[in-house]
Amino acid sequence: MRILVTGGAGYIGSHTCVALIDAGHSVIVADNLCNSRVEVLDRMKEITGKDIPFYHIDVTDYVAVERVFVEHEMDGVIHFAGLKAVGESVEKPLFYYYNNLVSTMILAKACLHYGVNRFVFSSSATVYGDNEVPFVETMKLKPRMNPYGESKAMSEQILSDIARANPSFSVSLLRYFNPVGAHESGLIGEAPNGIPNNLMPYVTQVAAGKREKLRIFGDDYPTIDGTGVRDYIHVMDLAEGHVAALENLLEGVHIYNLGTGRGTSVLELVKAFEEANGVEIPFEVVERRAGDIAEFYADASKAEQELGWKAKRDLVAMCRDAWRFESSAGTLALSGTLGTVNVSHS
Ligand code: NAD
Ligand code: WQD
């Protein structure tokens, strides 16, 4: 299949492009580079040996999106392009709703117009809110009270309604748990700008000496050791989950959790990272972070039964690959604040 990957220069999108190419598909990337770098396209080529057509466009711009559909015959779209910082979404709700909802509607509109009938959407476990664990797809949603989570729940609703009204349009809503790690080459990975919000990139930056110590947000939760528990999933497993979702997409709307089904605490992750990489992660315990919940992990059985997909990489691989990317010389070119990038338009 030939797949349009929006946000394909980003963290999960770039790994998914590699997994799609590995599985024999071809990809076209559309990204405005608001949270990624054009060099990632070169890295993807280095890994796969394939040229990837790249459109430096904003997918909230229908005219720009339409050009991609006119210039390429496509079998499906995977829509990663979105803004994802929970805290920033509280400060800039309009920016988040506009970007995340309008991009989804523009892409769906182009798909319907050009007869592209497969649509895979990046949703998030955040839509479950503070539910009972494990989170299962049939649960009533309680998006956390932030515009980011709401934008994911609303996008799910919009795509579901469109699919119901257009029976040939098939939608897969993928709810990711906590993606971590990097491609095993060390060439692509997670390179956040500024101070990382998420645990694993913060840990790798402490290991690299870029940050003095990890701050653990609370050790008084009702969990195994008092620290928050999450379902960390290797980004290449997640990427392969997209390939499975695309290849097994049936008519209608289908929702899948993409997680491992296992919970890991912050302290367990820190220990695993230290052991896997032979480095020390100094930390201090501080106050709980506002909006955090004690624990969540997936019931991952539906994806296994219906897609034949299951996460296979363990916590050691996640820690080792995250550190390989952070510590490899190649990463240096990707990290730091984003400057102006020169992009040749496809
Ligand atoms: P990322 O920021 O690395 O990638 C997103 C990409 O989309 C970036 O390259 C960015 O430049 C691009 N983009 C954003 N808005 C755009 C627009 N209007 N037009 C064109 N390009 C645009 O983030 P990621 O971690 O790879 O996340 C990908 C998707 O998965 C997002 O939708 C995110 O909400 C979702 N998700 C991520 C996580 C996570 O923990 N990383 C968890 C659940 C869901
Ligand atoms: C994991 C654990 C923290 C940083 C977020 C979004 C969610 C999804 C994934 C997009 C928690 C603790 C963290 C630190 C810490 N993204 N922690 N010190 O909060 O589960 O999910 O990213 O959809 O929507 O909310 O992930 O990596 O931030 O935190 O102690 O410096 O690590 O308290 O227990 P989270 P995270």
Side-chain angles (χ1 to χ4, degrees):
M1 285 186 269
R2 179 164 263 242
I3 306 300
L4 172 61
V5 182
T6 75
Y11 174 44
I12 307 170
S14 57
H15 291 80
T16 302
C17 287
V18 169
L20 284 164
I21 293 169
D22 282 350
H25 304 291
S26 61
V27 300
I28 299 144
V29 167
D31 200 302
N32 66 2
L33 302 176
C34 70
N35 197 35
S36 52
R37 295 178 159 261
V38 73
E39 291 89 337
V40 172
L41 274 296
D42 299 328
R43 302 284 178 91
M44 280 153 50
K45 184 177 177 185
E46 203 177 326
I47 295 169
T48 62
K50 301 274 187 216
D51 275 318
I52 298 173
F54 174 56
Y55 286 79
H56 184 202
I57 60 169
D58 195 303
V59 293
T60 61
D61 176 351
Y62 187 73
V63 174
V65 167
E66 193 167 38
R67 204 181 117 216
V68 187
F69 281 75
V70 168
E71 292 179 2
H72 298 273
E73 280 218 357
M74 285 172 307
D75 302 294
V77 171
I78 307 184
H79 180 33
F80 291 103
L83 300 171
K84 62 169 183 177
V86 172
E88 189 185 47
S89 81
V90 176
E91 286 156 28
K92 301 177 183 171
L94 179 59
F95 185 45
Y96 269 68
Y97 283 123
Y98 188 87
N99 194 71
N100 292 0
L101 297 180
V102 174
S103 62
T104 303
M105 290 187 277
I106 293 280
L107 283 161
K109 182 178 165 183
C111 283
L112 292 186
H113 188 80
Y114 289 93
V116 176
N117 287 327
R118 290 185 186 84
F119 197 106
V120 175
F121 177 67
S122 294
S123 190
S124 169
T126 200
V127 298
Y128 290 111
D130 197 358
N131 251 308
E132 291 291 305
V133 288
F135 292 170
V136 63
E137 290 88 343
T138 48
M139 273 176 166
K140 192 165 163 37
L141 299 188
K142 289 198 244 169
R144 275 192 246 174
M145 295 310 289
N146 63 72
Y148 169 71
E150 299 288 349
S151 79
K152 290 294 175 190
M154 287 179 197
S155 293
E156 287 196 2
Q157 188 63 56
I158 290 166
L159 290 168
S160 302
D161 289 344
I162 294 171
R164 277 187 207 105
N166 298 273
S168 58
F169 186 61
S170 307
V171 173
S172 191
L173 305 172
L174 303 181
R175 294 179 180 159
Y176 314 153
F177 282 69
N178 288 56
V180 294
H183 188 264
E184 61 178 14
S185 63
L187 287 168
I188 55 173
E190 189 172 16
N193 297 311
I195 302 171
N197 293 314
N198 297 116
L199 180 62
M200 184 65 96
Y202 206 103
V203 167
T204 61
Q205 291 197 7
V206 171
K210 292 180 185 170
R211 316 249 161 230
E212 191 194 340
K213 57 185 163 192
L214 173 69
R215 293 182 316 138
I216 295 182
F217 300 137
D219 66 353
D220 56 352
Y221 286 106
T223 60
I224 179 174
D225 55 24
T227 64
V229 166
R230 299 291 184 268
D231 185 341
Y232 298 97
I233 174 169
H234 195 293
V235 67
M236 283 310 295
D237 277 326
L238 188 63
E240 288 162 11
H242 289 73
V243 178
L246 201 62
E247 291 178 346
N248 295 286
L249 188 50
L250 302 171
E251 280 186 5
V253 181
H254 305 274
I255 304 177
Y256 298 103
N257 285 341
L258 296 185
T260 65
R262 286 186 303 277
T264 301
S265 75
V266 176
L267 282 172
E268 286 172 333
L269 185 137
V270 169
K271 189 160 179 280
F273 190 93
E274 290 181 328
E275 284 176 7
N277 298 311
V279 293
E280 204 187 325
I281 305 298
F283 67 82
E284 64 173 331
V285 176
V286 298
E287 290 294 292
R288 291 181 179 190
R289 183 172 65 179
D292 270 355
I293 58 178
E295 67 174 339
F296 63 86
Y297 49 89
D299 176 330
S301 54
K302 187 179 175 199
E304 185 174 0
Q305 280 156 18
E306 295 189 9
L307 305 177
W309 169 89
K310 190 178 169 194
K312 29 180 215 252
R313 295 163 179 89
D314 62 11
L315 197 57
V316 173
M318 298 180 211
C319 293
R320 193 193 55 215
D321 293 341
W323 177 233
R324 185 184 297 115
F325 176 67
E326 175 68 46
S327 57
S328 68
T331 312
L332 298 175
L334 292 174
S335 59
T337 43
L338 275 175
T340 308
V341 283
N342 293 315
V343 184
S344 51
H345 292 247
S346 177

